[in-house]
Amino acid sequence: MSEIKKVVLAYSGGLDTSVILKWLQDVYKCEVVTFTADIGQGEELEPARKKALAMGISAENIFIDDLREEFVRDFVFPMFRANAIYEGEYLLGTSIARPLIAKRQIEIANLTGADAVSHGATGKGNDQVRFELGYYALKPDVKVIAPWREWDLLSREKLLAYAEKHGIDITKKKDGGSPYSMDANLLHISYEGQVLEDPAKEPEEDMWLWSVSPEKAPDQAEYLELEYERGDVVAINGVRLSPAQVLAQLNSIGGKHGIGRLDLVENRYVGMKSRGCYETPGGTILLKAHRAIESITLDREVAHLKDELMPRYAKLIYTGYWWAPERKMLQTMIDASQESVSGTVRLKLYKGNVIVVGRDSRKSLFDANIATFEDDGGAYNQADAAGFIKLNALRMRIAAKLGQR
Amino acid sequence: MSEIKKVVLAYSGGLDTSVILKWLQDVYKCEVVTFTADIGQGEELEPARKKALAMGISAENIFIDDLREEFVRDFVFPMFRANAIYEGEYLLGTSIARPLIAKRQIEIANLTGADAVSHGATGKGNDQVRFELGYYALKPDVKVIAPWREWDLLSREKLLAYAEKHGIDITKKKDGGSPYSMDANLLHISYEGQVLEDPAKEPEEDMWLWSVSPEKAPDQAEYLELEYERGDVVAINGVRLSPAQVLAQLNSIGGKHGIGRLDLVENRYVGMKSRGCYETPGGTILLKAHRAIESITLDREVAHLKDELMPRYAKLIYTGYWWAPERKMLQTMIDASQESVSGTVRLKLYKGNVIVVGRDSRKSLFDANIATFEDDGGAYNQADAAGFIKLNALRMRIAAKLGQR
Amino acid sequence: MSEIKKVVLAYSGGLDTSVILKWLQDVYKCEVVTFTADIGQGEELEPARKKALAMGISAENIFIDDLREEFVRDFVFPMFRANAIYEGEYLLGTSIARPLIAKRQIEIANLTGADAVSHGATGKGNDQVRFELGYYALKPDVKVIAPWREWDLLSREKLLAYAEKHGIDITKKKDGGSPYSMDANLLHISYEGQVLEDPAKEPEEDMWLWSVSPEKAPDQAEYLELEYERGDVVAINGVRLSPAQVLAQLNSIGGKHGIGRLDLVENRYVGMKSRGCYETPGGTILLKAHRAIESITLDREVAHLKDELMPRYAKLIYTGYWWAPERKMLQTMIDASQESVSGTVRLKLYKGNVIVVGRDSRKSLFDANIATFEDDGGAYNQADAAGFIKLNALRMRIAAKLGQR
Amino acid sequence: MSEIKKVVLAYSGGLDTSVILKWLQDVYKCEVVTFTADIGQGEELEPARKKALAMGISAENIFIDDLREEFVRDFVFPMFRANAIYEGEYLLGTSIARPLIAKRQIEIANLTGADAVSHGATGKGNDQVRFELGYYALKPDVKVIAPWREWDLLSREKLLAYAEKHGIDITKKKDGGSPYSMDANLLHISYEGQVLEDPAKEPEEDMWLWSVSPEKAPDQAEYLELEYERGDVVAINGVRLSPAQVLAQLNSIGGKHGIGRLDLVENRYVGMKSRGCYETPGGTILLKAHRAIESITLDREVAHLKDELMPRYAKLIYTGYWWAPERKMLQTMIDASQESVSGTVRLKLYKGNVIVVGRDSRKSLFDANIATFEDDGGAYNQADAAGFIKLNALRMRIAAKLGQR
């Protein structure tokens, strides 16, 4: 165990990170700086301050930041420009928040002269990787303390015993009634553990916290108009909004209509399969709408190249490589492709369905004169197709003829 | 115009191909063989025989084949093993039927000693390419007659006038009441033209023929269990079915629940964007379910490699390269990946939603012992993660340090 | 044949394009503007002016431009940043020049108010595609005249007869003694046709014009130091040079040492295989050296991503899509990767061999402390590797265990 | 340190693995089985038997196998079917041998009832990963002992001291005079360490053991004819040979002509860059020749798909994933592509150069009638190219027109 002087802890104020806080003080005998971020998880942050003070953290060592706008503007939106989905289904809600936490934690380490950082992610999951790859990329000599990989408090009972022994407040958080392992931010809320550990079992309805079921959603569809500028939504129904406002509003409307639930078995970076459930109401709408605006504004081959690279880009985010040069390099290309992705998309939301009902853009590449089934007045010469097909077929014809020899 | 002796026409019995039949007789002065296939489009075929006879085709020159099982078994199912989607949305319903038509047409050309083939696809669309690439790949010296690229009957009025002049029956087909340009087979039905030529406009509800709207779908969800063997569905709710039966039954259930509608602007191979609407009820269920069974039976890297190659595979099918060696080569790999893709998937269908509620397999790679949030009894050593992260971060740490110099 | 007012012809001054010039005047009865470029093909351009004047082209309609610097700076160098090779071997010497010709031709059309452009490429080759895709991308309504696809002068005899009949000077160009179909620019010279049409036959030694054979090259090796800035060579042996000077000098040194000959069967975009021989002395050196400087300055995953995308990028250039948005999009990414690709590479040239003997950079990511086989004083913790391997193996271990059930 | 009963050690008979043998006996107090393989490294194996016996290994616990044919047939040849090169240069000579060693070691563990395996690779390199991923994939519960990651004998001095103290024979192996860290097998010999740790320094001539320098190579070129069947060489100059004989003979001829030296900075899987020098005479010839036979027998798009996937395939081998399902899946596809890759390639070898001078095949797709610059008698219709270009340009034309609005 190396010598640590000061450690910046990603501190939620919940039981786990409170125990970690105490454990760091006890085991590492070091000064602890707490960092609590609002990334839209829907919890008050002031209780975290109080708890930290109660555990002896000095006021100047308590950092509480509202990162919601930065989160959506610099992380969520760039990711959606790529139409990123992991394994065909997962919208990367947890994955995309970790790089921001890591970045801010390192900034605070630099501000406070800390030589170490710590987080509450377990040794089995992806989050430890996402946090730590971020730490190392941004501050290569930082020391990382991952208590879950070090201590022996590996069950809830031991954790509670430790908390009680050290006088840590164990009253549950607002959503603490849930037996699931959860993570929330402005993009999504996730559930793991418990009954979900059997992939054959359906989750219970009361697990879901952000959305109603499609059955409970309104019987009346709702129409929505999103305005895009360079790949990002800038207005909803004609009202200009900040990035975080956009996402918050889409979450609210989507959740109301039963949109964005996902039940998935995914492949973790550390090697095992795990089952997770996710609610991503706003993100589900964003993905559908972004594809729609791209469908009229992107060149075909640009769109196809994006589609072919998307799984790799999504995997980079899933596995924690946001700060890696290859992710940045791909982002450069993706962002360049969005130059013309402006316009409006009209959607209909109804009981879990997001239905595109219209797209329009001054930058549209849809040319009705050419596409029409009616007489196009010579805009397109049908005879050209014969040569097009003939030359595209040539290599196969030669091969078939030679096969006949 | 080259000399043609005998031509095999893909003949639906509808107005367009009836005019083509006559036009071929008139212009090319050649013997015409008609080929009409049942690929699940839901029309009777005997009227086509009658019409052909009426236009002077001899009985032995009329071919009417039920290709439904071959279509699903050898075309649709292999494609779904790849989770193929074009441009993030389109399930390739039209694209996948063309190679089969082309293949059978060439077989008939070989049987009857015909030197030419003909089809009714226009010079602006993808289908001409799909047909003709198939023809050329399978019979490199065949002559291809594409009347829409040759004649001057480029409007509906001219077509009707020609038909009337030559005594062709112009009573409409069952679905002929639709003003849309349509295509149907066991996988889907498609709509183009008319109001759809403006991508900003929502299609009218009465355009859709195969599915009810989510609003009209039953208020009661329906559960469904699919059994997979090596990537293909072999049974529904415990009842073993043939491939065509599987798809027909899924279409029926899906359509009843408002599943599988799509409204899309897509990029055609011939260079323009076009707007199409599709109903693919069974296919939409198949895609979701196949991903679910793969999620517990496929290795992570195999799954990711499939995901990265999928857009290219889908593009090959969309653009008509089913019979090309690169499609076959990819198929070899995809099929090899499905060796272990067996098991059952439980789904819930409700008003447009296909919700996975369970997956199970004797070949499952999901290991509850390792994935658990509870104590795993040493199945997984959390400390391993530290080294894993450290080495994965090393290149970024070195770069960051050097950047600090 | 459409009405043409004024046409800009890519005019070399040789027999073929002189016949084309005359043919355009005769057949299209239009004003002809000639455009002759120096892209390093090693021919004097003034004879082209004289010939054009002699055929009645007015002085203000004759454009002769030295494009060598633009060619290397904006086309060759960006391409080499990608380590572009087509089909594992070809350095794209012809392909990369066409987009520049097309661009300048369109500029001249805009300057002179011409409504058409014309070139001397045949209907069987790639160059027609490269020229015309450029034309259409840069001036979508331009009319394109490709005489080889239109006229009946399809043999050398007919061409000569036409020339004689119309009083066109048929004395051969400097290299005109060669029976091969050739193309040259600052990057390479190519040979096609004649004995090369049998891929089993070795070309004769006297075909090669730019390089000596390895056998004839000096018995003494020569050392060379290239200095790179952001992926481009800026100095040779300490002497700062312009892009065109760099390439010219590398051609000279490389040719002297028998470097850069290639004998290849390649796949043309129009569908057939063709056999070509190439001399690319400077380019061969550049490719080897660029990989060497990248080897110490590029991040591993950035390098691998570049390697995986390179064949696609090279294919875009080969098939004429330089001006397409997907090529530009890839270029954005490639250029971004070159930010740190600066430093020096030392090479040894000897009888056809380009041998890297040293690389150095202030931006080097090579960390001798970590890479050393000697004691590294703790810079790298070997124990980390155990966890790294364990987690990377986990999915395979789980699968193997399940296979044992 | 876990309890070990019996361990199979990959034993070369050299100093390092002799010390490991002793150390395993001392530290783990377990029975040791030695496994020594002939994979063409060019050393006698009987001394290894003697040394093992001298260290108390019982005769039935000593395994000495000649794996040369299996190595070339099942590992080297399949890899060359893919034209695999890592980072544009490295022919994967070390990487490809490790999976075979791992496989045989596990077979011996199963035969002898051993519960552990051990190897002499260091904790900084790729080989530990390659060995251990193989072990875990083939026997998921095996225990792995990697002494270099466990002990404190981290310098040569300590190793020698340990050897002397325990009476281990420290006389050097035949090539033991070399100060470099080396690895050899039938595909290559590699050098690392010493002066090579500075990438700016040229290696000394006397480092190279397998090949003469180009300068010392014969002044007379040598011609060679390789016969291919389904992607593999089956005969040289008309003489049918086994796989290992093919490679041995190509090494001999190549080495004589100064072919196959490589000086490289590569990116290791464990995160750092390292400098290595390689001699791969036969492999260098094989790569060039395989591309040549593919150039006339492979379909264009198949070849391009192979090229795009090659870097990924090569990376899988480099990083040790030979036994992973994704490597096998890619191999399935690559092998399928080789069905038609049969014929002969003629090469000229001269002072480091491998020059293709002819290729021929009954399966050739090269069609001289179509490729010819002469009149082709209508085999190819040049007019087709106009339509081909027009439609390929259409999307760019539409975009350009819209840009003009």
Side-chain angles (χ1 to χ4, degrees), chain B residues 270 308 312 329 333 394, chain D residues 270 308 312 325 329 333 394:
Chain B
V270 292
E308 290 189 45
R312 173 187 294 250
M329 182 180 164
M333 187 170 74
L394 186 56
Chain D
V270 291
E308 289 191 47
R312 174 187 294 250
M329 182 180 164
M333 186 170 75
L394 186 57

Side-chain angles (χ1 to χ4, degrees), chain C residues 152-169:
Chain C
D152 57 355
L153 307 175
L154 288 173
S155 70
R156 191 123 297 255
E157 291 67 38
K158 291 183 186 164
L159 213 63
L160 284 168
Y162 186 96
E164 251 176 311
K165 183 176 150 197
H166 292 84
I168 294 169
D169 178 6

Side-chain angles (χ1 to χ4, degrees), chain B residues 109-303:
Chain B
N110 289 337
L111 276 172
T112 59
D115 55 340
V117 286
S118 182
H119 63 75
T122 80
K124 281 189 169 182
N126 296 304
D127 286 332
Q128 57 177 340
V129 190
R130 295 165 185 153
F131 280 127
E132 297 177 28
L133 290 180
Y135 300 152
Y136 288 131
L138 299 172
K139 188 178 173 74
D141 285 323
V142 75
K143 285 167 194 149
V144 174
I145 307 175
W148 285 98
R149 298 198 306 254
E150 295 188 17
W151 68 23
D152 57 354
L153 307 175
L154 289 174
S155 72
R156 189 124 299 253
E157 292 67 38
K158 291 183 186 162
L159 214 62
L160 284 167
Y162 186 96
E164 251 177 308
K165 182 175 151 202
H166 292 84
I168 295 169
D169 177 9
I170 58 168
T171 55
K172 292 191 169 169
K173 293 185 293 173
K174 206 175 61 188
D175 292 336
S178 169
Y180 298 96
S181 173
M182 288 159 50
D183 174 69
N185 59 49
L186 207 40
L187 181 54
H188 92 340
I189 181 166
S190 68
Y191 311 87
E192 294 184 293
Q194 303 294 325
V195 63
L196 301 181
E197 295 192 353
D198 180 352
K201 295 248 177 69
E202 186 173 359
E204 286 158 12
E205 178 53 34
D206 65 6
M207 175 190 77
W208 306 98
L209 298 178
W210 278 23
S211 65
V212 300
S213 70
E215 284 91 339
K216 296 263 176 64
D219 289 328
Q220 194 62 38
E222 180 169 357
Y223 283 78
L224 199 63
E225 187 173 279
L226 303 185
E227 186 179 340
Y228 275 92
E229 275 177 17
R230 301 186 180 203
D232 300 336
V233 176
V234 295
I236 299 179
N237 290 334
V239 180
R240 220 162 164 92
L241 298 169
S242 74
Q245 289 170 333
V246 163
L247 189 47
Q249 189 164 328
L250 292 179
N251 279 335
S252 162
I253 305 176
K256 174 179 143 198
H257 287 285
I259 287 162
R261 290 184 175 187
L262 177 65
D263 178 344
L264 185 70
V265 176
E266 73 196 50
N267 290 290
R268 285 196 196 144
Y269 190 27
V270 292
M272 78 282 277
K273 290 180 182 293
S274 78
R275 202 265 194 94
C277 287
Y278 302 96
E279 287 171 283
T280 321
T284 302
I285 297 171
L286 279 179
L287 176 66
K288 189 84 177 175
H290 188 258
R291 278 210 170 269
I293 189 66
E294 284 195 339
S295 78
I296 58 168
T297 56
L298 269 198
D299 172 79
R300 179 184 73 200
E301 296 302 314
V302 165

Side-chain angles (χ1 to χ4, degrees), chain B residues 17 49 57 61 143 154 161 254 278 293 302 304 321 325 335 368 377 379:
Chain B
T17 51
R49 186 190 307 275
I57 307 301
N61 274 348
K143 285 167 194 149
L154 289 174
Y278 302 96
I293 189 66
V302 165
H304 293 183
Y321 290 90
D335 291 354

Side-chain angles (χ1 to χ4, degrees), chain C residues 185-187 210 246-256 280-283:
Chain C
N185 60 49
L186 207 40
L187 181 53
W210 277 23
V246 163
L247 189 47
Q249 188 162 332
L250 292 179
N251 279 336
S252 160
I253 304 175
K256 174 179 142 198
T280 321

Side-chain angles (χ1 to χ4, degrees), chain A residues 113-246:
Chain A
D115 55 340
V117 286
S118 182
H119 62 75
T122 80
K124 282 190 169 181
N126 295 305
D127 286 332
Q128 57 176 342
V129 190
R130 295 164 185 155
F131 280 128
E132 298 177 27
L133 290 180
Y135 300 153
Y136 288 130
L138 299 171
K139 188 178 174 73
D141 286 322
V142 73
K143 284 168 194 148
V144 174
I145 306 175
W148 286 97
R149 297 200 304 254
E150 294 188 17
W151 69 22
D152 57 355
L153 306 175
L154 289 173
S155 71
R156 190 122 299 253
E157 291 69 39
K158 290 183 186 164
L159 214 63
L160 285 168
Y162 186 96
E164 251 177 308
K165 183 176 150 197
H166 292 85
I168 296 167
D169 178 7
I170 59 170
T171 55
K172 292 191 169 169
K173 294 186 292 175
K174 206 176 62 189
D175 292 336
S178 169
Y180 297 95
S181 173
M182 289 160 52
D183 175 68
N185 58 50
L186 207 41
L187 181 54
H188 93 339
I189 181 166
S190 68
Y191 311 87
E192 294 183 294
Q194 302 295 324
V195 64
L196 301 180
E197 294 190 355
D198 180 353
K201 295 247 177 70
E202 185 173 0
E204 286 158 12
E205 178 54 34
D206 64 5
M207 176 190 76
W208 306 98
L209 298 178
W210 277 23
S211 65
V212 301
S213 69
E215 283 92 338
K216 296 264 176 66
D219 289 327
Q220 195 61 39
E222 180 167 357
Y223 283 78
L224 199 63
E225 186 173 279
L226 302 186
E227 186 179 339
Y228 275 92
E229 275 176 18
R230 302 189 180 199
D232 300 334
V233 176
V234 296
I236 299 180
N237 290 333
V239 181
R240 223 166 160 89
L241 298 170
S242 74
Q245 288 169 332
V246 163

Side-chain angles (χ1 to χ4, degrees), chain C residues 152-397:
Chain C
D152 57 355
L153 307 175
L154 288 173
S155 70
R156 191 123 297 255
E157 291 67 38
K158 291 183 186 164
L159 213 63
L160 284 168
Y162 186 96
E164 251 176 311
K165 183 176 150 197
H166 292 84
I168 294 169
D169 178 6
I170 57 169
T171 54
K172 293 192 169 169
K173 294 186 292 174
K174 202 178 63 187
D175 293 335
S178 169
Y180 298 96
S181 173
M182 289 159 51
D183 175 68
N185 60 49
L186 207 40
L187 181 53
H188 92 340
I189 182 167
S190 69
Y191 311 87
E192 292 184 294
Q194 302 296 325
V195 63
L196 301 180
E197 294 190 355
D198 179 352
K201 295 248 178 71
E202 186 174 357
E204 286 158 11
E205 178 54 35
D206 65 3
M207 176 190 77
W208 306 98
L209 297 178
W210 277 23
S211 64
V212 300
S213 69
E215 285 92 338
K216 295 264 177 65
D219 289 328
Q220 194 62 37
E222 180 168 356
Y223 283 79
L224 199 64
E225 187 174 279
L226 303 186
E227 187 178 339
Y228 275 92
E229 275 177 18
R230 302 185 180 204
D232 300 337
V233 176
V234 296
I236 299 180
N237 291 333
V239 181
R240 223 165 160 92
L241 299 169
S242 74
Q245 288 170 333
V246 163
L247 189 47
Q249 188 162 332
L250 292 179
N251 279 336
S252 160
I253 304 175
K256 174 179 142 198
H257 287 284
I259 287 163
R261 291 184 174 186
L262 177 65
D263 177 345
L264 185 70
V265 175
E266 72 196 52
N267 290 290
R268 286 196 195 143
Y269 190 26
V270 291
M272 78 282 280
K273 291 180 183 292
S274 78
R275 202 267 194 92
C277 287
Y278 302 96
E279 287 172 282
T280 321
T284 302
I285 297 171
L286 279 179
L287 176 66
K288 189 85 178 175
H290 188 259
R291 278 210 170 269
I293 189 66
E294 284 195 339
S295 78
I296 58 167
T297 56
L298 270 198
D299 171 79
R300 179 185 72 200
E301 295 302 314
V302 166
H304 293 183
L305 185 53
K306 283 189 68 205
D307 279 352
E308 290 190 46
L309 290 172
M310 183 277 284
R312 173 186 294 250
Y313 174 88
K315 185 174 188 169
L316 286 172
I317 294 178
Y318 184 85
T319 53
Y321 289 91
W322 180 266
W323 298 110
E326 66 274 23
R327 201 281 310 173
K328 295 183 203 168
M329 182 181 165
L330 282 170
Q331 193 74 54
T332 303
M333 187 170 74
I334 290 160
D335 290 354
S337 76
Q338 302 294 293
E339 193 59 31
S340 63
V341 182
S342 302
T344 54
V345 175
R346 287 221 319 143
L347 300 164
K348 178 182 164 183
L349 310 183
Y350 175 72
K351 286 188 180 287
N353 297 276
V354 183
I355 300 160
V356 175
V357 296
R359 344 72 189 131
D360 204 3
S361 171
R362 281 169 309 107
K363 306 246 180 179
S364 175
L365 298 170
F366 185 96
D367 186 328
N369 283 340
I370 284 184
T372 187
F373 274 78
E374 313 297 318
D375 193 323
D376 65 6
Y380 176 96
N381 184 353
Q382 302 212 16
D384 286 340
F388 178 75
I389 297 168
K390 279 279 189 66
L391 292 204
N392 279 316
L394 186 57
R395 65 187 168 96
M396 293 188 283
R397 290 178 69 201

Side-chain angles (χ1 to χ4, degrees), chain A residues 302-322:
Chain A
V302 166
H304 292 183
L305 184 53
K306 282 189 69 206
D307 279 352
E308 290 190 45
L309 289 173
M310 183 277 282
R312 174 186 295 251
Y313 174 87
K315 185 175 189 170
L316 286 173
I317 293 178
Y318 184 84
T319 52
Y321 290 90
W322 180 266

